[in-house]
Amino acid sequence: MVRIGAFLVGLFFAGWLFISFLIGAVAYVSEPPVPTVEHEFHLPPKHVSFSFDGPLGKYDQAQLQRGFQVFKEVCSACHSLKFVAFRDLAALGYNEAEVKAIAKQWAIKTPSVDPATGEASTREPVPSDYFPKPFANNVAAAAANNNAIPPDLSLMTKARHHGSAYVYSLITGYQAQPAELLKEFPDSKTPEGLHYNPYFANLNLAMAPPLTAEGQVTYGDGTKPTVDQMAQDVAAFLTWTAEPKLENRRRAGLATIFFLLIATGLAYMSYQNIWADKKKAA
């Protein structure tokens, strides 16, 4: 009796799911989704190559240092790196003295208040400190950025599909709205204070173009600082902040695959050796 009851319950739910599927299919055919401006004009990330692409790819330390310079001189005015400590920069090739010198360029706010000015006190950072936020809180961040709170960039390339290419495309993708867009969707004009970018999900974002001219950052290694080069460099740096152990993970994966191949071969040979006489006897 219990089995019959369970069968009937299962049959009821299966039938209900099938009916729901049919209702949804009929609704989709009779009333197809209305095309939106986002679906029509949103573009996939541009194709761009990085040294760390592929299973054998590795970070280019020189590029990561250039990317950090772009972040420091351009992006850090609005964006934070709350999951990255100053001492982590040693992985980019900076020595201990250089890491300490970089840390001194920031100020760490303390809970105490300066009695003379009423402002929050600050202290000199140490390598173990994490990069401080550029704004005291979200209210201050929104007030300084057209009511938009700049996101933390520590894990941005992990949070977006094709993260490295997405960051590069977004930075280099600012443009005027296409005439076809305004013709097809006349109510979709970019609002005042926003900027049109087809690589952003809803096409309009509050962040102004961060890289606007060649030479905006001066590279110490002599690399020509074009907008395209700076965008690639900062995208590579943000990939490292999201995956600092990328190379170690890939090496471990390759070693594991190599080990499993050898173990599989040894297991097969052992099988053949142990069961060879048994097969003949059978």
Side-chain angles (χ1 to χ4, degrees):
M1 195 67 182
V2 175
R3 291 183 179 179
I4 295 176
F7 173 78
L8 292 176
V9 170
L11 184 64
F12 170 78
F13 281 108
W16 185 257
L17 288 174
F18 180 69
I19 293 172
S20 299
F21 171 77
L22 289 179
I23 293 174
V26 170
Y28 182 85
V29 173
S30 60
E31 298 181 16
V34 178
T36 64
V37 62
E38 290 85 358
H39 286 94
E40 290 283 330
F41 292 91
H42 178 59
L43 298 178
K46 301 176 183 179
H47 175 72
V48 58
S49 298
F50 292 98
S51 63
F52 48 81
D53 290 338
L56 301 178
K58 295 182 179 180
Y59 286 126
D60 179 349
Q61 280 197 344
Q63 183 179 48
L64 296 184
Q65 290 190 11
R66 294 195 303 268
F68 170 63
Q69 185 178 351
V70 175
F71 170 80
K72 181 178 65 174
E73 298 184 18
V74 179
C75 309
S76 64
C78 299
H79 296 278
S80 57
L81 283 180
K82 64 181 180 180
F83 295 121
V84 182
F86 291 108
R87 62 186 175 190
D88 295 333
L89 297 177
L92 274 58
Y94 294 108
N95 58 40
E96 185 178 352
E98 290 173 327
V99 170
K100 290 181 178 179
I102 291 171
K104 288 182 179 180
Q105 297 175 23
W106 272 264
I108 304 296
K109 294 181 179 179
T110 64
S112 59
V113 176
D114 188 336
T117 62
E119 297 180 353
S121 299
T122 60
R123 64 173 174 81
E124 187 175 288
V126 295
S128 59
D129 284 318
Y130 287 81
F131 279 83
K133 295 180 180 180
F135 301 103
N137 50 52
N138 287 342
V139 175
N145 293 278
N146 196 26
N147 291 323
I149 301 173
D152 181 81
L153 298 182
S154 304
L155 304 175
M156 184 55 65
T157 58
K158 293 285 285 184
R160 298 291 184 271
H161 194 49
H162 299 301
S164 307
Y166 168 80
V167 171
Y168 166 79
S169 301
L170 188 73
I171 293 174
T172 59
Y174 290 88
Q175 57 187 263
Q177 280 189 296
E180 313 90 78
L181 184 152
L182 296 175
K183 182 178 180 181
E184 187 173 350
F185 300 94
D187 295 332
S188 298
K189 182 177 176 59
T190 298
E192 188 70 26
L194 300 184
H195 308 271
Y196 179 77
N197 192 317
Y199 300 97
F200 191 63
N202 65 1
L203 306 181
N204 302 300
L205 72 164
M207 182 177 72
L211 300 176
T212 57
E214 180 177 319
Q216 193 169 339
V217 172
T218 301
Y219 288 142
D221 62 0
T223 300
K224 189 175 181 179
T226 62
V227 171
D228 186 82
Q229 183 66 58
M230 290 185 289
Q232 288 191 44
D233 293 342
V234 75
F237 171 70
L238 293 178
T239 302
W240 172 81
T241 63
E243 296 191 89
K245 303 298 182 182
L246 175 67
E247 295 179 11
N248 293 339
R249 179 166 55 81
R250 287 177 174 172
R251 281 195 293 266
L254 290 174
T256 301
I257 292 174
F258 183 68
F259 168 78
L260 290 175
L261 289 174
I262 293 177
T264 301
L266 291 174
Y268 179 75
M269 288 187 288
S270 299
Y271 164 78
Q272 291 287 73
N273 185 58
I274 294 173
W275 290 96
D277 296 337
K278 307 297 186 295
K279 289 182 178 180
K280 290 179 181 180

PDB file of all heavy atoms in Angstrom, residues 25-57:
ATOM      1  N   ALA A  25       5.817  26.372 -22.658  1.00  0.00           N
ATOM      2  CA  ALA A  25       6.152  26.289 -24.079  1.00  0.00           C
ATOM      3  C   ALA A  25       5.107  26.998 -24.931  1.00  0.00           C
ATOM      4  O   ALA A  25       5.443  27.729 -25.871  1.00  0.00           O
ATOM      5  CB  ALA A  25       6.266  24.820 -24.490  1.00  0.00           C
ATOM      6  N   VAL A  26       3.844  26.798 -24.599  1.00  0.00           N
ATOM      7  CA  VAL A  26       2.773  27.456 -25.345  1.00  0.00           C
ATOM      8  C   VAL A  26       2.861  28.972 -25.188  1.00  0.00           C
ATOM      9  O   VAL A  26       2.704  29.737 -26.153  1.00  0.00           O
ATOM     10  CB  VAL A  26       1.395  26.936 -24.875  1.00  0.00           C
ATOM     11  CG1 VAL A  26       0.272  27.784 -25.471  1.00  0.00           C
ATOM     12  CG2 VAL A  26       1.218  25.477 -25.248  1.00  0.00           C
ATOM     13  N   ALA A  27       3.139  29.436 -23.963  1.00  0.00           N
ATOM     14  CA  ALA A  27       3.252  30.881 -23.716  1.00  0.00           C
ATOM     15  C   ALA A  27       4.429  31.474 -24.483  1.00  0.00           C
ATOM     16  O   ALA A  27       4.344  32.584 -25.016  1.00  0.00           O
ATOM     17  CB  ALA A  27       3.409  31.136 -22.219  1.00  0.00           C
ATOM     18  N   TYR A  28       5.544  30.730 -24.575  1.00  0.00           N
ATOM     19  CA  TYR A  28       6.726  31.229 -25.286  1.00  0.00           C
ATOM     20  C   TYR A  28       6.435  31.361 -26.777  1.00  0.00           C
ATOM     21  O   TYR A  28       6.875  32.313 -27.428  1.00  0.00           O
ATOM     22  CB  TYR A  28       7.906  30.282 -25.058  1.00  0.00           C
ATOM     23  CG  TYR A  28       9.180  30.732 -25.717  1.00  0.00           C
ATOM     24  CD1 TYR A  28      10.023  31.638 -25.082  1.00  0.00           C
ATOM     25  CD2 TYR A  28       9.544  30.276 -26.986  1.00  0.00           C
ATOM     26  CE1 TYR A  28      11.201  32.076 -25.679  1.00  0.00           C
ATOM     27  CE2 TYR A  28      10.707  30.693 -27.595  1.00  0.00           C
ATOM     28  CZ  TYR A  28      11.533  31.589 -26.945  1.00  0.00           C
ATOM     29  OH  TYR A  28      12.678  32.012 -27.554  1.00  0.00           O
ATOM     30  N   VAL A  29       5.695  30.385 -27.331  1.00  0.00           N
ATOM     31  CA  VAL A  29       5.383  30.415 -28.765  1.00  0.00           C
ATOM     32  C   VAL A  29       4.349  31.486 -29.078  1.00  0.00           C
ATOM     33  O   VAL A  29       4.468  32.229 -30.061  1.00  0.00           O
ATOM     34  CB  VAL A  29       4.880  29.031 -29.239  1.00  0.00           C
ATOM     35  CG1 VAL A  29       4.393  29.104 -30.679  1.00  0.00           C
ATOM     36  CG2 VAL A  29       5.981  27.996 -29.099  1.00  0.00           C
ATOM     37  N   SER A  30       3.315  31.587 -28.248  1.00  0.00           N
ATOM     38  CA  SER A  30       2.243  32.550 -28.510  1.00  0.00           C
ATOM     39  C   SER A  30       2.639  33.981 -28.187  1.00  0.00           C
ATOM     40  O   SER A  30       2.196  34.927 -28.842  1.00  0.00           O
ATOM     41  CB  SER A  30       0.993  32.165 -27.718  1.00  0.00           C
ATOM     42  OG  SER A  30       1.271  32.154 -26.325  1.00  0.00           O
ATOM     43  N   GLU A  31       3.471  34.166 -27.168  1.00  0.00           N
ATOM     44  CA  GLU A  31       3.926  35.502 -26.783  1.00  0.00           C
ATOM     45  C   GLU A  31       5.435  35.485 -26.583  1.00  0.00           C
ATOM     46  O   GLU A  31       5.927  35.428 -25.448  1.00  0.00           O
ATOM     47  CB  GLU A  31       3.226  35.953 -25.499  1.00  0.00           C
ATOM     48  CG  GLU A  31       1.722  36.066 -25.617  1.00  0.00           C
ATOM     49  CD  GLU A  31       1.071  36.530 -24.321  1.00  0.00           C
ATOM     50  OE1 GLU A  31       1.818  37.040 -23.443  1.00  0.00           O
ATOM     51  OE2 GLU A  31      -0.140  36.384 -24.168  1.00  0.00           O
ATOM     52  N   PRO A  32       6.196  35.487 -27.655  1.00  0.00           N
ATOM     53  CA  PRO A  32       7.663  35.436 -27.537  1.00  0.00           C
ATOM     54  C   PRO A  32       8.208  36.649 -26.787  1.00  0.00           C
ATOM     55  O   PRO A  32       7.565  37.712 -26.769  1.00  0.00           O
ATOM     56  CB  PRO A  32       8.129  35.428 -28.993  1.00  0.00           C
ATOM     57  CG  PRO A  32       7.008  36.035 -29.759  1.00  0.00           C
ATOM     58  CD  PRO A  32       5.757  35.622 -29.042  1.00  0.00           C
ATOM     59  N   PRO A  33       9.372  36.515 -26.142  1.00  0.00           N
ATOM     60  CA  PRO A  33       9.948  37.640 -25.388  1.00  0.00           C
ATOM     61  C   PRO A  33      10.166  38.856 -26.285  1.00  0.00           C
ATOM     62  O   PRO A  33      10.587  38.730 -27.433  1.00  0.00           O
ATOM     63  CB  PRO A  33      11.286  37.071 -24.880  1.00  0.00           C
ATOM     64  CG  PRO A  33      11.111  35.587 -24.921  1.00  0.00           C
ATOM     65  CD  PRO A  33      10.207  35.310 -26.070  1.00  0.00           C
ATOM     66  N   VAL A  34       9.868  40.011 -25.745  1.00  0.00           N
ATOM     67  CA  VAL A  34      10.061  41.257 -26.488  1.00  0.00           C
ATOM     68  C   VAL A  34      11.553  41.607 -26.475  1.00  0.00           C
ATOM     69  O   VAL A  34      12.181  41.613 -25.413  1.00  0.00           O
ATOM     70  CB  VAL A  34       9.251  42.398 -25.841  1.00  0.00           C
ATOM     71  CG1 VAL A  34       9.483  43.710 -26.596  1.00  0.00           C
ATOM     72  CG2 VAL A  34       7.770  42.043 -25.828  1.00  0.00           C
ATOM     73  N   PRO A  35      12.157  41.854 -27.637  1.00  0.00           N
ATOM     74  CA  PRO A  35      13.578  42.202 -27.660  1.00  0.00           C
ATOM     75  C   PRO A  35      13.842  43.492 -26.888  1.00  0.00           C
ATOM     76  O   PRO A  35      13.058  44.441 -26.962  1.00  0.00           O
ATOM     77  CB  PRO A  35      13.884  42.368 -29.154  1.00  0.00           C
ATOM     78  CG  PRO A  35      12.558  42.636 -29.791  1.00  0.00           C
ATOM     79  CD  PRO A  35      11.559  41.875 -28.978  1.00  0.00           C
ATOM     80  N   THR A  36      14.916  43.506 -26.125  1.00  0.00           N
ATOM     81  CA  THR A  36      15.284  44.684 -25.345  1.00  0.00           C
ATOM     82  C   THR A  36      16.563  45.292 -25.892  1.00  0.00           C
ATOM     83  O   THR A  36      17.314  44.644 -26.630  1.00  0.00           O
ATOM     84  CB  THR A  36      15.498  44.318 -23.864  1.00  0.00           C
ATOM     85  OG1 THR A  36      16.617  43.403 -23.773  1.00  0.00           O
ATOM     86  CG2 THR A  36      14.257  43.646 -23.276  1.00  0.00           C
ATOM     87  N   VAL A  37      16.799  46.524 -25.517  1.00  0.00           N
ATOM     88  CA  VAL A  37      17.990  47.208 -26.009  1.00  0.00           C
ATOM     89  C   VAL A  37      19.265  46.505 -25.538  1.00  0.00           C
ATOM     90  O   VAL A  37      20.262  46.448 -26.252  1.00  0.00           O
ATOM     91  CB  VAL A  37      17.975  48.694 -25.566  1.00  0.00           C
ATOM     92  CG1 VAL A  37      17.988  48.817 -24.050  1.00  0.00           C
ATOM     93  CG2 VAL A  37      19.151  49.441 -26.159  1.00  0.00           C
ATOM     94  N   GLU A  38      19.208  45.934 -24.312  1.00  0.00           N
ATOM     95  CA  GLU A  38      20.387  45.231 -23.800  1.00  0.00           C
ATOM     96  C   GLU A  38      20.713  44.007 -24.642  1.00  0.00           C
ATOM     97  O   GLU A  38      21.888  43.742 -24.948  1.00  0.00           O
ATOM     98  CB  GLU A  38      20.171  44.820 -22.342  1.00  0.00           C
ATOM     99  CG  GLU A  38      20.142  45.976 -21.351  1.00  0.00           C
ATOM    100  CD  GLU A  38      18.765  46.604 -21.253  1.00  0.00           C
ATOM    101  OE1 GLU A  38      17.856  46.146 -21.984  1.00  0.00           O
ATOM    102  OE2 GLU A  38      18.603  47.551 -20.456  1.00  0.00           O
ATOM    103  N   HIS A  39      19.687  43.230 -25.029  1.00  0.00           N
ATOM    104  CA  HIS A  39      19.927  42.034 -25.822  1.00  0.00           C
ATOM    105  C   HIS A  39      20.378  42.377 -27.244  1.00  0.00           C
ATOM    106  O   HIS A  39      21.150  41.650 -27.860  1.00  0.00           O
ATOM    107  CB  HIS A  39      18.657  41.173 -25.880  1.00  0.00           C
ATOM    108  CG  HIS A  39      18.376  40.454 -24.602  1.00  0.00           C
ATOM    109  ND1 HIS A  39      17.544  40.965 -23.637  1.00  0.00           N
ATOM    110  CD2 HIS A  39      18.823  39.271 -24.122  1.00  0.00           C
ATOM    111  CE1 HIS A  39      17.475  40.129 -22.608  1.00  0.00           C
ATOM    112  NE2 HIS A  39      18.244  39.092 -22.878  1.00  0.00           N
ATOM    113  N   GLU A  40      19.910  43.497 -27.756  1.00  0.00           N
ATOM    114  CA  GLU A  40      20.224  43.869 -29.126  1.00  0.00           C
ATOM    115  C   GLU A  40      21.631  44.433 -29.264  1.00  0.00           C
ATOM    116  O   GLU A  40      22.321  44.182 -30.250  1.00  0.00           O
ATOM    117  CB  GLU A  40      19.212  44.904 -29.619  1.00  0.00           C
ATOM    118  CG  GLU A  40      17.808  44.356 -29.828  1.00  0.00           C
ATOM    119  CD  GLU A  40      17.683  43.562 -31.110  1.00  0.00           C
ATOM    120  OE1 GLU A  40      18.408  43.857 -32.069  1.00  0.00           O
ATOM    121  OE2 GLU A  40      16.867  42.625 -31.140  1.00  0.00           O
ATOM    122  N   PHE A  41      22.094  45.210 -28.274  1.00  0.00           N
ATOM    123  CA  PHE A  41      23.330  45.969 -28.451  1.00  0.00           C
ATOM    124  C   PHE A  41      24.443  45.612 -27.463  1.00  0.00           C
ATOM    125  O   PHE A  41      25.534  46.159 -27.553  1.00  0.00           O
ATOM    126  CB  PHE A  41      23.031  47.475 -28.376  1.00  0.00           C
ATOM    127  CG  PHE A  41      22.222  47.972 -29.547  1.00  0.00           C
ATOM    128  CD1 PHE A  41      20.833  47.994 -29.494  1.00  0.00           C
ATOM    129  CD2 PHE A  41      22.848  48.385 -30.712  1.00  0.00           C
ATOM    130  CE1 PHE A  41      20.083  48.441 -30.573  1.00  0.00           C
ATOM    131  CE2 PHE A  41      22.109  48.839 -31.794  1.00  0.00           C
ATOM    132  CZ  PHE A  41      20.718  48.860 -31.729  1.00  0.00           C
ATOM    133  N   HIS A  42      24.171  44.730 -26.508  1.00  0.00           N
ATOM    134  CA  HIS A  42      25.231  44.294 -25.603  1.00  0.00           C
ATOM    135  C   HIS A  42      26.199  43.388 -26.353  1.00  0.00           C
ATOM    136  O   HIS A  42      25.790  42.447 -27.038  1.00  0.00           O
ATOM    137  CB  HIS A  42      24.638  43.555 -24.405  1.00  0.00           C
ATOM    138  CG  HIS A  42      25.661  43.034 -23.453  1.00  0.00           C
ATOM    139  ND1 HIS A  42      26.573  43.850 -22.815  1.00  0.00           N
ATOM    140  CD2 HIS A  42      25.929  41.770 -23.036  1.00  0.00           C
ATOM    141  CE1 HIS A  42      27.352  43.114 -22.039  1.00  0.00           C
ATOM    142  NE2 HIS A  42      26.982  41.855 -22.161  1.00  0.00           N
ATOM    143  N   LEU A  43      27.495  43.651 -26.247  1.00  0.00           N
ATOM    144  CA  LEU A  43      28.501  42.907 -26.997  1.00  0.00           C
ATOM    145  C   LEU A  43      29.288  41.961 -26.091  1.00  0.00           C
ATOM    146  O   LEU A  43      29.530  42.270 -24.926  1.00  0.00           O
ATOM    147  CB  LEU A  43      29.480  43.878 -27.665  1.00  0.00           C
ATOM    148  CG  LEU A  43      28.890  44.855 -28.693  1.00  0.00           C
ATOM    149  CD1 LEU A  43      29.983  45.784 -29.218  1.00  0.00           C
ATOM    150  CD2 LEU A  43      28.226  44.112 -29.833  1.00  0.00           C
ATOM    151  N   PRO A  44      29.723  40.810 -26.627  1.00  0.00           N
ATOM    152  CA  PRO A  44      30.603  39.923 -25.860  1.00  0.00           C
ATOM    153  C   PRO A  44      31.988  40.555 -25.756  1.00  0.00           C
ATOM    154  O   PRO A  44      32.327  41.450 -26.547  1.00  0.00           O
ATOM    155  CB  PRO A  44      30.633  38.639 -26.701  1.00  0.00           C
ATOM    156  CG  PRO A  44      30.382  39.121 -28.101  1.00  0.00           C
ATOM    157  CD  PRO A  44      29.410  40.262 -27.962  1.00  0.00           C
ATOM    158  N   PRO A  45      32.821  40.123 -24.806  1.00  0.00           N
ATOM    159  CA  PRO A  45      34.160  40.715 -24.663  1.00  0.00           C
ATOM    160  C   PRO A  45      34.993  40.596 -25.932  1.00  0.00           C
ATOM    161  O   PRO A  45      34.832  39.662 -26.719  1.00  0.00           O
ATOM    162  CB  PRO A  45      34.773  39.904 -23.515  1.00  0.00           C
ATOM    163  CG  PRO A  45      33.610  39.377 -22.753  1.00  0.00           C
ATOM    164  CD  PRO A  45      32.544  39.113 -23.771  1.00  0.00           C
ATOM    165  N   LYS A  46      35.873  41.553 -26.115  1.00  0.00           N
ATOM    166  CA  LYS A  46      36.793  41.523 -27.261  1.00  0.00           C
ATOM    167  C   LYS A  46      37.782  40.369 -27.104  1.00  0.00           C
ATOM    168  O   LYS A  46      38.029  39.905 -25.988  1.00  0.00           O
ATOM    169  CB  LYS A  46      37.574  42.840 -27.344  1.00  0.00           C
ATOM    170  CG  LYS A  46      36.732  44.089 -27.490  1.00  0.00           C
ATOM    171  CD  LYS A  46      37.623  45.314 -27.467  1.00  0.00           C
ATOM    172  CE  LYS A  46      36.829  46.609 -27.533  1.00  0.00           C
ATOM    173  NZ  LYS A  46      37.695  47.817 -27.480  1.00  0.00           N
ATOM    174  N   HIS A  47      38.340  39.950 -28.210  1.00  0.00           N
ATOM    175  CA  HIS A  47      39.380  38.913 -28.146  1.00  0.00           C
ATOM    176  C   HIS A  47      40.704  39.592 -27.805  1.00  0.00           C
ATOM    177  O   HIS A  47      41.134  40.532 -28.482  1.00  0.00           O
ATOM    178  CB  HIS A  47      39.500  38.178 -29.478  1.00  0.00           C
ATOM    179  CG  HIS A  47      40.631  37.194 -29.501  1.00  0.00           C
ATOM    180  ND1 HIS A  47      40.601  36.002 -28.796  1.00  0.00           N
ATOM    181  CD2 HIS A  47      41.849  37.237 -30.116  1.00  0.00           C
ATOM    182  CE1 HIS A  47      41.735  35.348 -28.987  1.00  0.00           C
ATOM    183  NE2 HIS A  47      42.503  36.079 -29.782  1.00  0.00           N
ATOM    184  N   VAL A  48      41.346  39.134 -26.758  1.00  0.00           N
ATOM    185  CA  VAL A  48      42.649  39.665 -26.349  1.00  0.00           C
ATOM    186  C   VAL A  48      43.470  38.520 -25.771  1.00  0.00           C
ATOM    187  O   VAL A  48      42.942  37.638 -25.093  1.00  0.00           O
ATOM    188  CB  VAL A  48      42.475  40.812 -25.313  1.00  0.00           C
ATOM    189  CG1 VAL A  48      41.703  40.327 -24.091  1.00  0.00           C
ATOM    190  CG2 VAL A  48      43.809  41.404 -24.919  1.00  0.00           C
ATOM    191  N   SER A  49      44.758  38.514 -26.060  1.00  0.00           N
ATOM    192  CA  SER A  49      45.633  37.424 -25.607  1.00  0.00           C
ATOM    193  C   SER A  49      46.487  37.886 -24.434  1.00  0.00           C
ATOM    194  O   SER A  49      46.997  39.015 -24.426  1.00  0.00           O
ATOM    195  CB  SER A  49      46.539  36.960 -26.752  1.00  0.00           C
ATOM    196  OG  SER A  49      45.778  36.443 -27.823  1.00  0.00           O
ATOM    197  N   PHE A  50      46.633  36.986 -23.445  1.00  0.00           N
ATOM    198  CA  PHE A  50      47.481  37.248 -22.286  1.00  0.00           C
ATOM    199  C   PHE A  50      48.489  36.110 -22.131  1.00  0.00           C
ATOM    200  O   PHE A  50      48.247  34.990 -22.590  1.00  0.00           O
ATOM    201  CB  PHE A  50      46.636  37.357 -21.014  1.00  0.00           C
ATOM    202  CG  PHE A  50      45.754  38.570 -20.966  1.00  0.00           C
ATOM    203  CD1 PHE A  50      44.415  38.489 -21.328  1.00  0.00           C
ATOM    204  CD2 PHE A  50      46.259  39.796 -20.561  1.00  0.00           C
ATOM    205  CE1 PHE A  50      43.597  39.602 -21.288  1.00  0.00           C
ATOM    206  CE2 PHE A  50      45.445  40.922 -20.510  1.00  0.00           C
ATOM    207  CZ  PHE A  50      44.107  40.824 -20.875  1.00  0.00           C
ATOM    208  N   SER A  51      49.573  36.397 -21.455  1.00  0.00           N
ATOM    209  CA  SER A  51      50.621  35.391 -21.267  1.00  0.00           C
ATOM    210  C   SER A  51      50.149  34.233 -20.407  1.00  0.00           C
ATOM    211  O   SER A  51      50.698  33.134 -20.481  1.00  0.00           O
ATOM    212  CB  SER A  51      51.857  36.034 -20.620  1.00  0.00           C
ATOM    213  OG  SER A  51      51.541  36.535 -19.319  1.00  0.00           O
ATOM    214  N   PHE A  52      49.127  34.453 -19.597  1.00  0.00           N
ATOM    215  CA  PHE A  52      48.643  33.406 -18.683  1.00  0.00           C
ATOM    216  C   PHE A  52      47.493  32.599 -19.275  1.00  0.00           C
ATOM    217  O   PHE A  52      46.889  31.788 -18.583  1.00  0.00           O
ATOM    218  CB  PHE A  52      48.219  34.020 -17.343  1.00  0.00           C
ATOM    219  CG  PHE A  52      47.335  35.224 -17.469  1.00  0.00           C
ATOM    220  CD1 PHE A  52      45.970  35.098 -17.699  1.00  0.00           C
ATOM    221  CD2 PHE A  52      47.866  36.502 -17.371  1.00  0.00           C
ATOM    222  CE1 PHE A  52      45.157  36.209 -17.818  1.00  0.00           C
ATOM    223  CE2 PHE A  52      47.058  37.630 -17.493  1.00  0.00           C
ATOM    224  CZ  PHE A  52      45.699  37.472 -17.708  1.00  0.00           C
ATOM    225  N   ASP A  53      47.175  32.820 -20.539  1.00  0.00           N
ATOM    226  CA  ASP A  53      46.126  32.030 -21.180  1.00  0.00           C
ATOM    227  C   ASP A  53      46.581  30.583 -21.362  1.00  0.00           C
ATOM    228  O   ASP A  53      47.763  30.311 -21.548  1.00  0.00           O
ATOM    229  CB  ASP A  53      45.763  32.618 -22.549  1.00  0.00           C
ATOM    230  CG  ASP A  53      45.038  33.944 -22.439  1.00  0.00           C
ATOM    231  OD1 ASP A  53      44.456  34.209 -21.372  1.00  0.00           O
ATOM    232  OD2 ASP A  53      45.062  34.716 -23.415  1.00  0.00           O
ATOM    233  N   GLY A  54      45.635  29.659 -21.323  1.00  0.00           N
ATOM    234  CA  GLY A  54      45.946  28.252 -21.574  1.00  0.00           C
ATOM    235  C   GLY A  54      46.471  27.542 -20.344  1.00  0.00           C
ATOM    236  O   GLY A  54      46.872  28.171 -19.356  1.00  0.00           O
ATOM    237  N   PRO A  55      46.517  26.213 -20.395  1.00  0.00           N
ATOM    238  CA  PRO A  55      46.944  25.425 -19.226  1.00  0.00           C
ATOM    239  C   PRO A  55      48.407  25.599 -18.860  1.00  0.00           C
ATOM    240  O   PRO A  55      48.805  25.305 -17.738  1.00  0.00           O
ATOM    241  CB  PRO A  55      46.653  23.977 -19.654  1.00  0.00           C
ATOM    242  CG  PRO A  55      46.679  24.017 -21.148  1.00  0.00           C
ATOM    243  CD  PRO A  55      46.120  25.354 -21.519  1.00  0.00           C
ATOM    244  N   LEU A  56      49.238  26.070 -19.787  1.00  0.00           N
ATOM    245  CA  LEU A  56      50.667  26.251 -19.519  1.00  0.00           C
ATOM    246  C   LEU A  56      51.041  27.733 -19.413  1.00  0.00           C
ATOM    247  O   LEU A  56      52.226  28.067 -19.335  1.00  0.00           O
ATOM    248  CB  LEU A  56      51.501  25.589 -20.620  1.00  0.00           C
ATOM    249  CG  LEU A  56      51.287  24.078 -20.807  1.00  0.00           C
ATOM    250  CD1 LEU A  56      52.147  23.560 -21.962  1.00  0.00           C
ATOM    251  CD2 LEU A  56      51.618  23.311 -19.530  1.00  0.00           C
ATOM    252  N   GLY A  57      50.051  28.605 -19.394  1.00  0.00           N
ATOM    253  CA  GLY A  57      50.324  30.036 -19.339  1.00  0.00           C
ATOM    254  C   GLY A  57      50.914  30.474 -18.002  1.00  0.00           C
ATOM    255  O   GLY A  57      50.659  29.867 -16.961  1.00  0.00           O
TER     256      GLY A  57
END
